[in-house]
Every structure is written in C-alpha cells, then in structure tokens.
Amino acid sequence: MIDAEKVRERKKLRLDILGELYQIWFSGEENNMLFGSKEDIYQKRNTERHLAFHFMFEMGFIHISPMGGKGMDEKLSISITAKGIDFLESNLEE
C-alpha cells in the first residue's frame, strides 16, 4: 500500500526545489540558474532529492545542463522552465 505521508513529503520536496529555482529565476541577477556539482545539488545519488530533480527534469519542469566534470564532481546548471513556473504557481496554497 502507498504511504500517503511519503507521497506528501516528496511533493513538498519538489515544490520546495521549484520554489528555490523560481526565486533564482526572478531574482534579477544575470545568472538566473542554480550552479554546482552534482554532489552539492543532489547530495548523494538516489536520495529523495536526487530523484526529485530527475522527476522534474522528465516532467519538463526544470532544465539541467551538464557543464563538465565526471561522476558526482560533474558541474551542472539548473533552471526552472515555463512549465515549472506554471506548475509551482498553480500549486501554491492560498
């Protein structure tokens, strides 16, 4: 049986990540993307955070661009997409 609390936690994690990317996107800074190594961004392979990023990438909510390096030291550039912005805004609690 599905653990409803785990489902809510995963959805909250994805919304929190999208919220962070949303804030970066609309910050007015020249570089409106999240930059860092896989280890900095995901923490560890196959964690809830790592899986959340890949789910959102597959859904088209974020764009992930590799910038060189290998393994967990690989550098990434991550930004929210228009679809991700729309999803976040439509899921904000009143």
Side-chain angles (χ1 to χ4, degrees):
M1 186 161 182
I2 294 176
D3 182 344
E5 185 59 32
K6 276 295 219 188
V7 172
R8 283 190 286 277
E9 289 173 13
R10 288 181 180 120
K11 183 175 182 180
K12 182 182 180 324
L13 174 61
R14 291 191 303 268
L15 289 172
D16 288 347
I17 292 168
L18 283 176
E20 178 183 351
L21 294 170
Y22 183 94
Q23 293 287 35
I24 292 169
W25 184 259
F26 289 106
S27 69
E29 299 292 323
E30 182 177 333
N31 293 320
N32 53 358
M33 299 177 197
L34 177 63
F35 294 99
S37 69
K38 283 183 178 178
E39 186 171 12
D40 293 338
I41 295 169
Y42 300 150
Q43 297 160 353
K44 293 184 180 181
R45 291 182 61 83
N46 297 323
T47 61
E48 291 291 338
R49 185 170 170 85
H50 183 210
L51 296 173
F53 274 94
H54 282 279
F55 173 83
M56 291 186 296
F57 175 75
E58 292 296 323
M59 292 297 294
F61 295 162
I62 62 173
H63 182 74
I64 302 174
S65 297
M67 300 176 62
K70 293 190 181 215
M72 291 302 281
D73 291 328
E74 182 177 19
K75 304 292 184 214
L76 302 174
S77 166
I78 302 175
S79 61
I80 193 167
T81 64
K83 188 174 180 180
I85 290 169
D86 185 54
F87 179 79
L88 177 68
E89 290 177 347
S90 68
N91 279 279
L92 289 178
E93 295 181 18
E94 297 299 319

